[in-house]
């Protein structure tokens, strides 16, 4: 007969693994500050008494009070239209009683609203209950009464399947509610994150043992699973705000939450009493039946007799008994019908499918091993053995962080361009910094890893999607929903909301439930630029699970996010978070305060990153900022920074402030931080704090980084491959930024071009490519077939990087979406054959000692010649010979036929966005034009100077220096009409921006009447 185990449900079940050192079968469970689910127990007589009294109190307050008021005082509504005579009437006791009666009616209405809000929140189990304005004590009383009533109501619902479904379905076209703890935002995420990758060896061993037990039973003539060995658990309805999850069930009844996948595998795809099936481990519903492993223990388990005919127990209704019996019978049929398939799935490394977010019909359901292999192939990640014998040693931490790599590359490009423009303010001849230094060693490896791993298109789509969502909501006068996390999965964007926020604006769709908003990649690609503030700048990558990448919104966490683990592992996570926040492309402005680490990281973004020496300074700073933000929000009339970002002040206020504290705070400081963080999410402040012990006051979510690179948060259902930035890679990346610092004074002579060619007659190249203007190649036959454009593009990339190009960098540039090794090697073979060899037999495409592809000196581009001519004119032979200088500068300017690769095909050469040649070439052409103009003006050849400046302006029309010299050269001719015409041309080009101040000052000096002409043009 069915019986319930008598062991304490919250205690350590027999057979559970407790104590001892961690091992393969006994891995320690990371601590988490998310409130633990209340232990379930049988209701006592006192519980029923409390529930009855709560029911009586609610009846009296909701029905008795208005009845008494109606009888004694009367209805609060007037019987007719009021007149002004009552203002002149004498104030009597009846007047006071009438006013008092109206006040009581208002208090009753407010209390009734509080009860309705609390009942709705308790039954739905989604999000926190709404706050009734001005109803603090009333809402607290309503909450206590409703909780006391539902304390028994939950037990009653567990005995009635119909009641167990109350409040657990949304629209008919939506799937079941995520079964997750809702007491905190961390609990809200548990439904989203409950499905995680299991340790394959442990799971396979456990399932293999079950298969072996079944086989042994079959050998002796018994059924594959004996009924007396079968235990069942019925998913409980929400208790307060707590929902059942497979992780918690496994933790209570199997002693280890990680064994949830065993329960999932036993019940996967089996028909439940309501007709649905278990397809995702994170999606379970009250009233479902779960078959449990044989070693399960606990007070809520139902064990079946050999006859599988349950006898009614004191807490199990006959209807539940029938459901369990039918489920057990259906389980046998299910095992017979799909046994072969299930058996194969149980005994290999296929443990679970990714369930966050829920895959669509076309989603990938490959095993984790297969998915990893596919991802590695798609991103060009290959082993050293497959790379032609070279062990490149590229930092995979950067290769595997596409959003971080894209942000760092974008910021590095801005820094290098700024250095070039800063250099442009120096002297024309002999100035330093025209050519940025070529990275070497670890810095070169880091740059290659960034080029391989970067996903600028993904960053662009993420930014457009979030801003587009904010703009659409603003048009509908709807506030931004609070977003806890975002998942990027196969190009689709899934936002996890704190609570349902209705239907999203098109083209967004509801996801697996009403707390998920989904935007398909194809819809995101149709978004255009919108003028709105970045809505969720606090999103930052934490890691990946199979092919899905998690971004946590640190700004929205209602409390502290703590991180445990070894000091070096924590530092790697902190550095990754800081670097991505400082350089990401989906935020506008923010402040990132680093404490206990990261002083060397500030060169990445000096305007965003701020380093404080100690926790005391942090507490003092954050106390002042918290007060200021509270006051600013109150004065602006906003509930939170989210509402402020969509209003008129969106571009000037409510930038987030994210605190990254690597040093563990003392007890007193921890309490102060917890108090500050209690209201942080509303104010746009986020805290990530490192700790050794894991016991941190005010920690809403706890994460752990392991020595194997896993980021864990079991009660959130997280087990990710962590995104980290180890110390060696930190230093290499910072070296790239430091070398490009525009304020840094370079040592030694001016930087020479990376490749100087022999510009004499004896230095005629074997292969000459014209890149400045239309792309042409002289000295090679045009390749046949459709592969010709690809070979031309590969050669252009090699010509722009004479220092060498990593094969993986070349592959990622030509195939941004990924390519296999054999395709890449086939292209390199064709390139080698196409370029051929020099007369001495030396191949023109070689591989250096570091494995990088380099071109022979006999393969030259016009850009190489242009740089060499200017270098020779200003730093070589032209310094001592005026005639040589003039000839070299004239030859150089004649090479300029237009912009770089002017006729390149649309959709190709996307890698140029990572280059700074688009800034270098106009500056170089402008310098040549200025130098040649000076050369002619010394001999009073103004017309020749004007010709040189005009030719340079064709390639560098935005260079203000060229316009200034053109104005001066025109002024020396004495032709006022030409000068007036030139001023008018400048005014038309400037448009609504107007002329720069220095240009206006120069015109005032050379042509005082230019403003009259400006008025005529305007």
């Amino acid at each position: 007969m069915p019986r319930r185990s008598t062991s304490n449900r919250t205690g350590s079940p027999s057979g559970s693994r407790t104590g001892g050192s961690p091992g393969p079968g006994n891995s320690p469970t990371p601590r988490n500050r998310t409130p633990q689910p209340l232990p379930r127990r049988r209701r006592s007589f006192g519980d029923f008494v409390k529930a009855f009294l709560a029911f009586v109190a609610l009846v009296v307050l909701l029905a008795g009070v208005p009845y008494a008021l109606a009888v004694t005082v009367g209805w609060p509504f007037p019987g007719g239209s009021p007149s002004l005579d009552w203002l002149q009437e004498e104030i009597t006791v009846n007047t006071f009683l009438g006013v008092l009666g109206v006040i009581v009616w208002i208090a009753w209405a407010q209390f009734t609203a509080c009860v309705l809000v609390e009942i709705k929140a308790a039954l739905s189990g989604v999000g926190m209950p709404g706050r009734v304005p001005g109803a603090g004590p009333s809402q607290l009383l309503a909450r206590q009464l409703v909780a006391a009533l539902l304390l028994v109501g939950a037990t009653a619902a567990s005995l009635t399947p119909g009641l167990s479904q109350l409040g657990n379905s949304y629209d008919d076209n939506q799937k079941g509610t995520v079964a997750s703890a809702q007491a905190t935002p961390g609990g809200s995420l548990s439904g989203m994150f409950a499905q995680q990758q299991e340790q394959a060896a442990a799971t396979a061993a456990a399932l293999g043992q079950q298969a072996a037990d079944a086989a042994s039973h079959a050998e002796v003539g018994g059924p594959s699973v004996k009924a007396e060995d079968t235990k069942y658990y019925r998913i409980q309805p929400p208790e307060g705000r707590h929902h059942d999850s497979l992780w918690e069930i496994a933790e209570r009844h199997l002693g280890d939450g990680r064994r949830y996948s065993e329960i999932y595998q036993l019940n996967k795809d089996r028909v439940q009493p309501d007709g649905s099936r278990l397809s995702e481990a994170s999606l379970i519903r009250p009233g479902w039946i779960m078959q449990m492993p044989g070693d399960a223990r606990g007070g809520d388990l139902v064990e079946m007799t050999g006859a599988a005919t349950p006898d009614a127990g004191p807490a199990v209704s006959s209807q539940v008994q029938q459901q369990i019996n039918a489920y057990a019978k259906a389980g046998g049929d299910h095992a017979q019908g799909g046994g072969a398939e299930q058996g194969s799935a149980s005994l290999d490394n296929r443990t679970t499918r990714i369930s966050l977010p829920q895959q669509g019909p076309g989603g990938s359901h490959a095993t984790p091993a297969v998915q990893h292999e596919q991802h590695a192939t798609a991103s060009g990640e290959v082993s050293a053995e497959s790379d032609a014998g070279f062990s490149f040693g590229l930092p995979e931490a950067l290769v595997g962080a596409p959003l971080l790599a894209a942000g760092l590359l974008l910021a590095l490009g801005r820094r290098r361009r700024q250095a070039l423009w800063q250099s442009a303010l120096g002297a024309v001849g002999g100035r330093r910094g025209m050519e940025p230094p070529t990275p070497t060693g670890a810095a070169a490896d880091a740059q290659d890893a960034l080029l391989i791993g970067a996903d600028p298109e993904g960053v662009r789509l993420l930014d457009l999607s979030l801003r587009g969502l904010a703009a659409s909501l603003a048009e509908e006068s709807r506030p931004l929903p609070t977003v806890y996390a975002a998942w990027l999965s196969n190009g689709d964007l899934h936002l996890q909301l704190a609570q349902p926020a209705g239907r999203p604006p098109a083209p967004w769709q509801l996801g697996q439930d009403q707390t998920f908003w989904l935007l398909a990649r194809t819809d995101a690609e149709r978004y255009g630029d919108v003028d709105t503030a970045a809505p969720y700048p606090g999103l930052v990558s934490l890691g990946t699970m199979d092919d899905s990448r998690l971004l946590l919104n640190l700004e929205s966490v209602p409390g502290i996010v703590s991180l445990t683990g070894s000091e070096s592992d924590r530092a790697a996570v902190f550095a990754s978070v800081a670097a991505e926040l400082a350089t990401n492309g989906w935020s506008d402005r923010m402040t990132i305060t680093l404490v206990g680490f990261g002083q060397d990281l500030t060169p990445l973004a000096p305007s965003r990153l701020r380093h404080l020496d100690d926790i005391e300074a942090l507490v003092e700073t954050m106390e002042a900022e918290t007060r200021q933000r509270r006051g600013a929000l109150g004065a602006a009339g906003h509930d939170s920074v989210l509402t402020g970002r969509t209003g008129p002040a969106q571009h000037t206020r409510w930038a987030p402030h994210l605190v990254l504290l690597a040093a563990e705070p003392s007890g007193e400081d921890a309490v102060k931080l917890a108090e500050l963080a209690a209201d942080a999410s509303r104010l746009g402040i986020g805290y990530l704090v490192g700790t050794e012990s894991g016991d941190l006051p005010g920690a809403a979510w706890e994460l752990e980084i392991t020595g194997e690179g896993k980021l864990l948060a079991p009660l959130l259902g997280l087990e990710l491959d962590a995104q980290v930035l180890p110390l060696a890679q930190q230093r290499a990346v910072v070296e790239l930024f430091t070398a490009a610092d525009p304020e840094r004074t370079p040592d030694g002579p001016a930087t020479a071009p990376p490749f100087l060619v022999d510009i004499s007659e004896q230095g005629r190249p074997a292969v000459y490519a014209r890149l400045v203007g239309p792309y042409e190649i002289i000295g090679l036959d045009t390749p046949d077939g459709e592969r010709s454009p690809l070979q031309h593009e590969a050669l252009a990339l090699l010509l722009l990087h004479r220092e060498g190009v990593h094969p993986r960098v070349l592959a990622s540039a030509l195939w941004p979406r990924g390519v296999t090794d054999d395709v890449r090697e086939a292209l390199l073979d064709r390139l080698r054959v196409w370029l051929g060899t020099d007369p001495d037999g030396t191949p023109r495409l070689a591989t250096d000692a570091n494995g990088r592809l380099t071109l022979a000196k006999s393969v030259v581009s016009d850009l190489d010649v242009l740089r060499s001519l200017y270098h020779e004119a200003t730093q070589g032979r032209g310094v001592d010979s005026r005639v040589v200088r003039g000839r070299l500068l004239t030859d150089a300017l004649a090479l300029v036929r237009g912009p770089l690769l002017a006729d390149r095909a649309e959709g190709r050469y996307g890698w140029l966005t990572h280059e700074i040649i688009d800034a270098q070439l106009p500056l170089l052409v402008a310098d040549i034009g200025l130098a040649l103009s000076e050369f002619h003006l010394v001999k009073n050849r103004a017309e020749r100077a004007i010709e040189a400046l005009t030719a340079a302006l064709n390639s560098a029309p935005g260079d203000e220096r060229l316009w200034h010299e053109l104005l001066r050269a025109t002024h020396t001719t004495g032709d006022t009409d030409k000068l007036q015409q030139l001023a008018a041309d400048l005014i038309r080009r400037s448009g609504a921006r107007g002329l720069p101040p220095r240009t206006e000052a120069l015109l005032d000096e050379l042509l005082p009447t230019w403003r009259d002409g400006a008025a005529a043009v305007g």
Side-chain angles (χ1 to χ4, degrees):
M1 61 184 297
R3 60 191 181 277
R4 289 187 178 268
S5 175
T6 57
S7 62
N8 190 336
R9 177 175 184 161
T10 59
S12 297
S14 59
S16 66
R17 296 178 293 275
T18 59
S21 61
N26 185 20
S27 60
T29 302
R31 295 172 55 87
N32 198 296
R33 297 297 297 175
T34 302
Q36 299 290 329
L38 294 174
R40 296 180 183 272
R41 58 183 179 83
R42 300 195 177 190
R43 307 306 177 203
S44 64
F45 178 74
D47 293 333
F48 284 96
V49 171
K50 292 178 182 178
F52 176 75
L53 294 177
F55 175 75
V56 172
L58 286 173
V59 170
V60 170
L61 292 173
L62 296 180
V65 169
Y67 177 77
L69 288 172
V71 172
T72 59
V73 178
W75 295 103
F77 306 105
S81 300
S83 64
L84 297 179
D85 295 339
W86 66 274
L87 294 175
Q88 302 175 356
E89 294 179 358
E90 182 182 358
I91 298 177
T92 63
V93 175
N94 291 332
T95 304
F96 281 108
L97 291 177
V99 173
L100 182 61
V102 172
I103 293 174
V104 176
W105 272 112
I106 294 175
W108 171 83
Q110 185 187 60
F111 177 78
T112 302
C114 294
V115 172
L116 294 176
V117 167
E118 293 296 326
I119 290 177
K120 178 181 180 298
L123 291 179
S124 66
V126 179
M128 297 294 290
R131 296 171 60 183
V132 179
S138 297
Q139 190 161 6
L140 179 60
L141 175 61
R143 183 174 305 166
Q144 292 174 343
L145 293 175
V146 171
L149 181 60
L150 292 183
L151 186 66
V152 174
T155 303
S158 68
L159 303 179
T160 308
L163 289 178
S164 68
Q165 304 301 325
L166 183 60
N168 284 282
S169 68
Y170 294 113
D171 297 338
D172 294 339
N173 62 337
Q174 296 302 311
K175 298 188 177 181
T177 306
V178 175
S180 59
Q182 300 286 345
T184 67
S188 174
L189 278 175
S190 64
M192 170 186 176
F193 301 145
Q195 176 81 13
Q196 60 174 339
Q197 281 301 97
E198 191 64 33
Q199 296 180 2
T203 303
L207 295 177
Q209 182 62 42
Q210 294 178 13
D213 292 343
S216 64
H217 289 312
E219 290 174 0
V220 297
S224 60
V225 179
K226 284 190 176 183
E228 59 263 32
D229 294 335
T230 307
K231 301 179 178 67
Y232 294 91
Y233 176 82
R234 188 169 185 275
I235 304 300
Q236 299 298 311
E239 180 178 345
R241 299 187 193 283
H242 169 257
H243 294 244
D244 258 340
S245 68
L246 291 187
W247 180 284
E248 293 177 346
I249 295 170
E251 194 169 56
R252 290 195 303 266
H253 299 294
L254 299 176
D256 186 354
R258 296 173 183 268
R259 295 183 63 189
Y260 77 93
S261 61
E262 299 177 36
I263 306 175
Y264 172 72
Q265 291 292 345
L266 285 173
N267 299 274
K268 177 184 173 183
D269 295 330
R270 291 173 62 176
V271 178
Q272 293 292 335
D274 61 359
S276 54
R277 299 173 184 266
L278 174 65
S279 60
E280 304 290 344
S282 62
L283 299 179
I284 59 176
R285 299 180 183 177
W288 280 9
I289 308 298
M290 293 289 115
Q291 181 179 336
M292 301 291 290
D295 62 340
R297 299 289 185 272
D300 290 334
L301 297 179
V302 177
E303 298 183 20
M304 305 300 294
T305 62
T309 305
D311 187 13
V316 181
S317 69
S318 59
Q319 187 174 10
V320 173
Q321 296 168 17
Q322 294 172 4
Q323 290 177 354
I324 294 177
N325 189 24
Y327 189 75
K329 181 178 179 181
D333 298 337
H334 178 79
Q336 293 175 4
E341 179 182 354
Q342 285 193 347
S344 63
S346 300
L347 295 177
D348 65 10
N349 289 341
R350 186 182 311 179
T351 54
T352 60
R353 296 178 305 183
I354 187 168
S355 65
L356 42 108
Q358 192 170 6
Q359 296 285 351
S364 172
H365 297 304
T367 65
V370 172
Q371 288 178 341
H372 177 74
E373 181 180 352
Q374 292 170 347
H375 176 69
T377 301
S379 62
E381 296 183 30
V382 292
S383 63
E385 290 78 9
S386 65
D387 271 317
F390 289 105
S391 178
F392 296 115
L394 293 184
E396 296 298 325
L398 294 173
V399 173
L403 304 184
L404 170 61
L408 288 172
L409 273 183
L410 182 63
L412 183 60
R414 286 196 301 263
R415 181 69 57 84
R416 286 173 172 171
R417 285 178 173 82
Q418 186 180 1
L420 285 174
W421 296 327
Q422 191 92 347
S423 178
L425 300 177
V428 173
R431 72 158 180 262
R432 300 167 182 174
M434 181 62 190
E435 298 292 341
T438 301
T440 58
D445 290 340
Q447 179 172 277
D448 286 341
L450 293 176
L451 290 168
I452 294 169
D455 183 14
E457 180 65 10
V459 172
R460 186 184 72 87
L461 291 179
L462 176 62
D463 183 43
L464 290 178
S465 301
L466 296 177
R467 293 181 193 266
L469 174 63
S472 299
L473 291 172
E475 290 177 0
E476 299 176 7
S477 299
R478 294 171 59 187
L480 286 170
T482 300
V483 169
Y484 285 149
W487 284 90
L488 288 173
S489 180
N490 298 321
D492 298 338
L493 175 60
H494 305 252
L495 295 183
Q496 169 68 25
L497 311 185
Q499 56 188 5
R503 290 196 172 275
W508 289 78
Q509 307 171 26
L510 284 174
Q512 61 197 52
D513 63 52
Q514 290 196 352
T515 60
F516 277 97
W517 282 7
L518 164 66
L519 181 67
R521 182 186 179 94
T522 53
D523 293 327
E525 290 172 344
R526 294 197 291 266
Y527 263 121
D529 293 330
V530 293
D531 184 20
T532 188
Y536 304 112
L539 285 169
V540 65
S541 302
L542 290 186
T544 59
M545 182 181 292
D546 293 335
D547 58 350
S548 295
R549 181 169 302 275
L550 169 68
L551 290 88
L552 183 67
N553 191 3
L554 288 177
E555 184 189 15
S556 71
V557 179
I560 294 173
V561 178
S562 69
L563 177 68
T564 60
S566 68
E567 184 176 357
S568 60
D569 292 333
R570 294 201 319 265
V573 174
F574 272 100
S576 171
V577 170
E580 185 169 298
L581 288 173
T583 60
N584 72 53
W586 54 87
S587 63
D588 299 319
R589 299 181 303 112
M590 69 170 62
T591 300
I592 308 160
T593 298
L594 312 179
V595 184
F597 84 107
Q599 187 171 6
D600 297 336
L601 292 175
T602 52
L604 301 183
S607 62
R608 286 191 180 185
L609 290 171
R610 175 178 64 179
H611 181 268
L612 295 180
D613 295 330
D614 50 43
I615 300 178
E616 292 183 2
L618 172 67
V619 172
E620 181 179 356
T621 299
M622 298 315 298
E623 284 179 344
E625 181 157 352
T626 299
R627 287 194 301 269
Q628 186 272 334
R629 291 198 173 215
R630 282 175 179 162
L633 277 178
H638 296 307
D639 296 331
S640 70
V641 294
L642 287 179
T643 56
R645 283 182 187 151
T646 58
Q650 57 176 319
H651 292 293
T652 59
R653 198 179 295 177
W654 320 126
H657 186 165
L658 303 174
V659 176
L660 308 182
L661 174 58
E664 182 169 10
S666 64
E668 182 179 354
D669 290 333
V671 172
K672 292 180 180 178
L673 287 175
E675 294 174 351
L676 291 172
D679 196 29
S681 61
R682 188 177 68 89
L683 305 176
I685 302 174
Y687 293 86
L688 177 63
V689 180
T691 174
E692 291 283 351
S693 62
D695 188 10
L696 192 66
W701 299 340
E702 278 195 1
L703 308 176
E704 178 188 2
I705 177 67
T706 69
E708 294 75 29
K710 294 289 186 180
L711 191 68
L712 307 177
L715 293 185
L716 299 180
L718 282 177
E719 184 172 347
L720 305 172
D721 294 323
Q723 179 173 300
V724 295
L725 187 60
L727 182 59
Q729 279 75 66
Q730 293 177 40
R731 292 172 175 169
V733 169
V734 170
E735 182 180 342
L736 291 173
F737 279 79
T738 303
D741 187 356
E743 302 298 331
R744 177 172 175 262
T745 302
D747 299 326
T751 307
F755 177 66
L756 289 173
V757 301
D758 184 359
I759 57 177
S760 66
E761 288 294 330
Q762 293 75 22
R764 185 177 298 274
V767 178
Y768 182 65
R770 305 178 74 179
L771 304 179
V772 184
Y775 190 4
E776 300 176 11
I777 298 178
I778 302 172
L780 292 176
D781 295 332
T782 302
D784 296 330
E786 299 177 351
R787 300 188 181 96
S788 177
L790 204 61
Q791 291 178 233
H792 279 73
E793 185 175 354
L795 179 57
L797 177 61
L798 292 168
L799 286 168
L800 292 177
H801 290 278
R802 303 305 302 235
E803 72 278 8
V805 177
H806 197 290
R808 292 172 66 181
V809 173
L810 179 66
S812 64
L814 299 179
W815 294 282
R817 295 181 179 271
V819 68
T820 55
D821 298 348
D822 57 341
V823 174
R824 183 193 66 202
E825 292 302 325
L827 171 70
L828 295 180
D829 290 340
R830 287 193 297 271
L831 271 178
R832 293 186 180 98
V833 173
W834 182 40
L835 292 173
T837 59
D838 286 333
D840 60 357
T842 303
R844 291 171 181 157
L845 178 62
T847 305
D848 64 12
N850 296 320
R852 289 180 170 84
L853 302 169
T854 58
L855 291 173
K857 293 183 178 180
S858 59
V859 182
V860 174
S861 73
D862 56 353
L863 185 59
D864 297 327
V865 177
L866 186 67
R867 287 167 167 165
S868 299
L869 288 171
Y870 178 69
H871 177 75
E872 190 70 19
T874 57
Q875 300 180 44
R877 291 180 296 140
V879 175
D880 300 323
S881 173
R882 170 181 168 79
V883 174
V884 171
R885 182 168 69 255
R887 177 172 55 83
L888 293 174
L889 290 173
T890 302
D891 292 344
L893 194 58
L895 289 175
V896 181
R897 301 176 300 127
L900 186 76
L901 299 168
D903 58 350
R904 60 179 180 266
E906 184 178 357
R908 303 301 307 179
Y909 297 87
W911 46 269
L912 282 173
T913 58
H914 298 316
E915 307 285 341
I916 62 169
I917 185 63
D918 61 332
Q920 282 179 300
L921 182 58
L923 284 175
L924 178 59
V925 173
D927 285 349
I928 294 172
L930 291 170
L932 189 56
S933 171
E934 181 185 10
F935 174 82
H936 290 302
L937 287 175
V938 169
K939 295 296 184 178
N940 295 320
R941 295 195 290 262
E943 294 296 337
R944 299 286 299 276
I946 291 173
E947 290 178 6
L949 293 169
T950 303
L953 278 169
N954 291 331
S955 295
D959 198 305
E960 189 180 3
R961 299 171 301 157
L962 290 175
W963 288 105
H964 289 177
E965 289 304 312
L966 185 58
L967 286 170
R968 293 189 181 99
T970 304
H971 180 263
T972 60
T973 64
D975 191 337
T976 306
D977 293 337
K978 284 186 177 180
L979 188 60
Q980 186 71 51
Q981 183 179 357
L982 181 59
D985 189 21
L986 267 174
I987 295 169
R988 281 193 296 269
R989 287 174 177 270
S990 63
R993 299 190 310 271
L995 292 175
R998 287 184 296 182
T999 303
E1000 287 189 358
L1002 181 60
L1003 282 172
D1004 287 337
E1005 177 186 349
L1006 301 179
L1007 187 65
T1009 61
W1010 72 274
R1011 297 183 187 275
D1012 298 334
V1017 173

